[in-house]
Amino acid sequence: MSNTTSLYRTNIKMIYYPSIPSPCYVLEENLLISNLELLKRVQKEAGIEIICALKGFSFYHEFPLVKQYLAGATASSLHEARLAFEEMGVKPHVYSPAYLESEWAELSSYAGHITFNSLNQYHQYKERALAAGISCGLRINPEYAEVDTDMYNPCIAGSRLGIRRSDLGILPEGIEGLHSHTLCENDSYVLERTLAVIEAKFGDLLPTLKWLNLGGGHLITRADYDVDHLIGLLKGFRSKYPNLQIILEPGSAVGWQTGFLKSTVLDIVESAGITVAILDVSFAAHMPDTLEMPYKPRIRGANSEPEKGKPTYRFGGMTCLAGDFYGDYSFEQALQIGDEIILEDMIHYTMVKTTTFNGVNLPSIGKIDTAGNFQLFKSFGYESFKDRL
C-alpha cells in the first residue's frame, strides 16, 4: 500500500497518511538505515563494538536489519534478553540492578555477557555464570555525570546503580569487564570528560580486563554530534589499552528521528481563552517522556513556539489525567476535527514505555519501507488491556 508524505486537504481536513490507521507508531526504514550506516562507520573506524539497547529501541520487526550493521544487543531483563536472542539471533549483553533467582537459569541461557550491579549479586551467581561460559562484569559508579534531570542521573548521592571505587578494592576473580553508564543523550565531549574520570579512578584495573562497556546515552546520530571527535577519542583510548574491547550501547541513537506517531484531532474546545485540540493519543500513556524529561515534541507543520495572530492550540490527550496535555503550537491554518497530527521522532523510548492507563488503546505499530509502502505489524484491543491487569 503506497503512501505519500505530502500534505493535502480533503473535505477541509488536513491529511498526511490516509491509509495508515490512527493512532499508529510508524518507523521510516530509510531513516533507520541512515542511522545504522553512521553507527557502523563509527564501529569500523574506531575499532569498537556498538550494540543496540533494547530499553530504548525494541522495534524487533527491524532486528534482522539492525543485525546487519551492529555487533549485537544489550538487555535489561529476562524478557529483553529473550527478545534479542529470538528476534536478532544474538546472545546479548545483560545488565540489571538485581537478578531473580527464579529467572536465572533461563536468563543465563540467552546471555553472552552479564554485568552485576553489586559484589553481592556477583558472588551469588558467579559459579553458575562462569560454568555457563558467560563473560562477567561489574557496573561501576564513577560519581560523575553531566545529566540535568535527576530521574536520569545514575550518579546522584545514594544512587543504587553501580559500585564506587572506594567500595571496590581489587577485582574479584572471574571479572572480565567493567560497565559504566552515566550519559543521557550526551555528546562526545561529555564522554571525553567522563573517560578522564574513569581513568583517574579505575585506570589501574583496565589493563587486567577484556572489555569496557561505556553504556548508552551517546546521541551519535543527532545532527550536531561531532562524530569525528568521537572516533578520534575512542581510537586514542584504545591505543592506551590495546587489549581492551570498547563497547557502546546506545538505544536512542539507533531510533533517533526514525519515525512518528500519527494521531487524529477528535475535538476542539475553548477553555479560558485557550483553544485545546483533543487527540486520539495520550501524552501520559503513549509519550511519557514528554512529561517525565520533560521535552516538547515536534509536530509536523506547526511552530513549536506560539505566534501571535496565527491559529494556536494546546494538545490534550484522551485520558482523564489533568496533566495529560502539551502545548502550545501555532499553525498556518486553523485545525479541523478529523485532521491528522504527526508527532515527530516517536520511535525511541516511546513504544517501550506505553501503558493502557484509563483503558486507552495502544497505538498500532507499522513501518514505511524503503519503497515507500506501509506495512502494518500490529494492532491492539481489549485483550491487550485486560492482559496487563
Side-chain angles (χ1 to χ4, degrees), residues 40 50 77 88 97 143 219 227 250 264 274 289 338 343 355 362 365 371 382:
K40 184 178 181 179
I50 296 181
S77 63
M88 197 180 292
E143 301 174 86
L219 202 43
V227 174
T264 300
I274 296 172
D289 272 359
L343 294 130
T355 73
L362 297 170
I365 297 172
Y382 173 69

Side-chain angles (χ1 to χ4, degrees), residues 54-67:
L54 269 63
K55 66 180 178 180
F57 183 82
S58 55
F59 204 110
Y60 68 86
H61 314 278
E62 295 296 283
F63 280 2
L65 177 65
V66 172
K67 186 180 179 181

Side-chain angles (χ1 to χ4, degrees), residues 263-267 277-281 283 315-318 341 343:
S263 62
T264 300
V265 177
L266 300 180
D267 197 7
I278 299 176
L279 304 177
D280 61 351
V281 292
F283 293 92
F315 287 95
M318 60 185 303
I341 298 299
L343 294 130

